[in-house]
Amino acid sequence: MGKVVVSQFISLDGVVEDPGGAEGFDRGGWAFNLGPEGGKFKLDEVMASEALLLRRVTYEGFAEAWPSRSGDFADKFNGMPKYVVSRTLKDPEWNNSTVIGGDVAEAVAELKRDFDGDILVNGSVRLVQTLMEHDLIDEYRLMVFPTILGAGKRLFGETGDAAALRLVEAKPADETLILIYEPSAKDAGNA
């Protein structure tokens, strides 16, 4: 059974918007100093993953940036299966890409049955929130940057229900802190 892993660059105040600076957010570009330990963590994470699961906007940004790159990370990213949730994208050009246009929860549950390893979700805040609503996330990997942005899309915005998480691991990586959580209970109100 596969595992859905949400991996996010996140500011101290919970913002995940435009960490690379390519989306036009006036505070974007805040997450590129990974350092050697952070870079190793991201490389190890991608190398251990079997598939990518993204929403259209994140997918399009990745599809523009990664096919022209080479190296271990880029080769893995470009070669692995990619699933993009979209109602408008019909013919994705990035190799090994499949569009999920119907019931997202059903499709992701099927992906979890089809894969044995990690199904990696980067960016894609609305997708993450949908997956949370359907209890489909098995792990959160948050690379917390020592930055306060004060505005922007937050990973954990307004939700229908409270959610309890259990800290599995915490480790420093240069200037960042990597926090790994798993859902700890279906009903966080009782936690």
Side-chain angles (χ1 to χ4, degrees), residues 18-35:
D18 198 10
E23 299 171 32
F25 176 49
D26 67 343
R27 298 166 196 211
W30 48 271
F32 261 109
N33 187 14
L34 294 181

Side-chain angles (χ1 to χ4, degrees), residues 65-76 78:
W66 287 104
S68 63
R69 297 180 186 180
S70 61
D72 292 342
F73 189 101
D75 293 348
K76 175 71 176 197
N78 287 320

Side-chain angles (χ1 to χ4, degrees), residues 54-74:
L54 309 164
R55 278 201 40 98
R56 182 188 53 81
V57 173
T58 302
Y59 170 86
E60 287 175 342
F62 284 9
E64 184 178 323
W66 287 104
S68 63
R69 297 180 186 180
S70 61
D72 292 342
F73 189 101

